[in-house]
Amino acid sequence: MRDAYRRWAGVYDEVFGGVSGAGRRRAVAAVNRLAGTKVLEVGVGTGLALPLYEPKKQVVGIDLSRDMLRRARDRVANERLRNVTGLLEMDAESMAFEDGSFDIAVAMFTATVVPDARRLYREMRRVVRPGGELLFVNHFAAEGGLRWWAERTLAPLSRVLGWHPDFALTDLLEDPRQAAEITVCPPFGLFTLVRVPNPA
């Protein structure tokens, strides 16, 4: 995964920023509406979402890619984002934070690129306080039709792409009924916002 993002870091914003923009904006808008100020962004990448958070949200971002984080730090400095309190190189499946460190954790376009999405989910639950919120924006596989066919055709290329086009919601959540909200995002319903309350 580090190799995939090292390849993409220099052109990530131009190639992926536009198509993922609507999902990113919807996720951060959801974070901004939620109670609590301590926010963890998992897979912060180049920091495309960081300027969208309200100033009252104190944001920590983590990523496995040093190259992506370097760009995120430049963005924070250039845009004077004083509410971004940390950008850390860290494995999302084994975080160094104490239990209940955050009110909200959000992972945008991250669940498909980690080796074990359910382990990611468990770690996010651990570091969010009871009663907090977990949010995911991701591509989830279609259940049929032309997109279903295309996703399965692309699946063998997942190592090159750095993500898995045939990723299903059940790869992340054992029971999709855990989600309080599932919202399809434009363009073309390619990405979906999933909000999961962390049990009190």
Side-chain angles (χ1 to χ4, degrees), residues 103-125:
D103 300 309
I104 304 161
V106 57
M108 294 176 255
F109 320 110
T110 302
T112 50
V113 299
V114 296
D116 186 341
R118 288 191 182 174
R119 186 173 173 186
L120 165 70
Y121 171 72
R122 290 192 298 271
E123 268 295 272
M124 288 175 65
R125 279 193 60 184

Side-chain angles (χ1 to χ4, degrees), residues 41-54:
E41 185 176 329
V42 178
V44 68
T46 63
L48 281 168
L50 295 176
L52 305 176
Y53 292 100
E54 291 183 350

Side-chain angles (χ1 to χ4, degrees), residues 8-49:
W8 282 104
V11 295
Y12 183 89
D13 292 5
E14 292 76 14
V15 173
F16 194 63
V19 72
S20 63
R24 184 181 308 106
R25 288 190 295 272
R26 189 163 295 197
V28 177
V31 169
N32 287 337
R33 288 192 301 268
L34 291 171
T37 59
K38 296 179 181 178
V39 177
L40 172 65
E41 185 176 329
V42 178
V44 68
T46 63
L48 281 168

Side-chain angles (χ1 to χ4, degrees), residues 1-8 63-67 89-91:
M1 191 165 65
R2 278 191 176 95
D3 289 341
Y5 278 96
R6 187 177 298 115
R7 289 194 299 270
W8 282 104
D63 206 284
L64 198 59
S65 169
R66 209 168 283 174
D67 301 277
E89 186 177 345
M90 194 179 295
D91 184 350

Side-chain angles (χ1 to χ4, degrees), residues 97-189:
F97 304 116
E98 294 183 3
D99 295 0
S101 295
F102 299 95
D103 300 309
I104 304 161
V106 57
M108 294 176 255
F109 320 110
T110 302
T112 50
V113 299
V114 296
D116 186 341
R118 288 191 182 174
R119 186 173 173 186
L120 165 70
Y121 171 72
R122 290 192 298 271
E123 268 295 272
M124 288 175 65
R125 279 193 60 184
R126 182 185 68 78
V127 301
V128 169
R129 63 168 174 80
E133 300 274 358
L134 282 63
L135 292 97
F136 301 88
V137 171
N138 223 87
H139 169 79
F140 295 104
E143 295 182 2
L146 183 61
R147 207 181 91 196
W148 176 90
W149 178 85
E151 286 163 352
R152 274 141 191 81
T153 302
L154 287 170
L157 298 174
S158 62
R159 184 172 296 179
V160 175
L161 294 169
W163 61 291
H164 300 280
D166 57 345
F167 185 80
L169 182 56
T170 51
D171 291 326
L172 177 66
L173 303 177
E174 265 185 51
D175 183 354
R177 290 175 297 182
Q178 294 170 277
E181 177 185 350
I182 300 176
T183 306
V184 175
C185 304
F188 318 116

